[in-house]
Amino acid sequence: ISSYSLIGYSLGGKVALTLYQLQAQKIPKLLLLAPDGLYINPIYKVVSGTSVGRSMYRKLAKNPRPILAITNLLNNLKLIHPKLHRFVHVHMGTGRQESDRWRIYHTWLLFKHFRPNLELIISLSKRHSGNLNVILGANDSVIKPKYGKKLLQSGLDKNNLHFVNQGHQLLTKETIDYIITQGLWQKS
C-alpha cells in the first residue's frame, strides 16, 4: 500500500497516532475523534505499568466486589465523578463475565506499548501533509476538552482542533455532519 488515510476514535485514535508516527509519509490525511493518547491516566499507568497494579487488577478480575464497593462509597460521598463510578460498574460490574474483565486487562497491557509522541506527530504532519484534524467532544469526561490545549502546545494549528457539543460518543450523525460541513474529510 503506497498511501492510506486514517480515522481513529478513542482507543483507535491512539493506534492511528502511533501508525502516523511510524508511517507519516504514507498517510496524507489523519482525522482523530476523541483520541486516546493525549493524556495518560494515572490509574491506567499504575494498572498497566507496575507489577503491583497488574497484581491488583488480576485479583479484581476474579472478584470485583471490593472495587465496586469502594466506588459506591466514593460516589455516595461525592468524591468521584458519577461517570467514573458508572465506568467502573460497566467494565468491572458483576453483570460482566470474568472473561470480559480479562479481555479489558489484556487490552490495557497491549496498548501500554502505544506511546504517541505528540510533538513528533504534529511536526511530521506539517512536513508531510498538514492534514491532521482532531475533534473533541466539548462535554467529554473521558478525553477531556482541556487535552486539546496539550495539542496546541505541541504545535497543532488552532484551525485543526475542533470541538463539537457532545460527550465521548462521537460516532454520531452530528459528528459526521460536522466533518462534512467543515470539509475535514474530502477526496484529495
Side-chain angles (χ1 to χ4, degrees), residues 150-170:
K150 186 173 181 183
L151 289 169
L152 295 174
Q153 291 169 343
S154 297
L156 182 69
D157 187 292
K158 66 180 180 183
N159 295 320
N160 296 86
L161 179 61
H162 308 267
F163 295 93
V164 292
N165 193 22
Q166 296 181 65
H168 187 65
Q169 179 49 266
L170 295 183

Side-chain angles (χ1 to χ4, degrees), residues 47 50-60 105:
V47 170
T50 68
S51 58
V52 171
R54 289 188 297 273
S55 175
M56 285 174 43
Y57 190 98
R58 286 191 297 270
K59 288 178 179 151
L60 292 172
Y105 171 73

Side-chain angles (χ1 to χ4, degrees), residues 28-40:
K29 197 176 300 186
L30 176 59
L31 178 60
L32 302 169
L33 310 173
D36 191 6
L38 304 181
Y39 166 81
I40 300 175

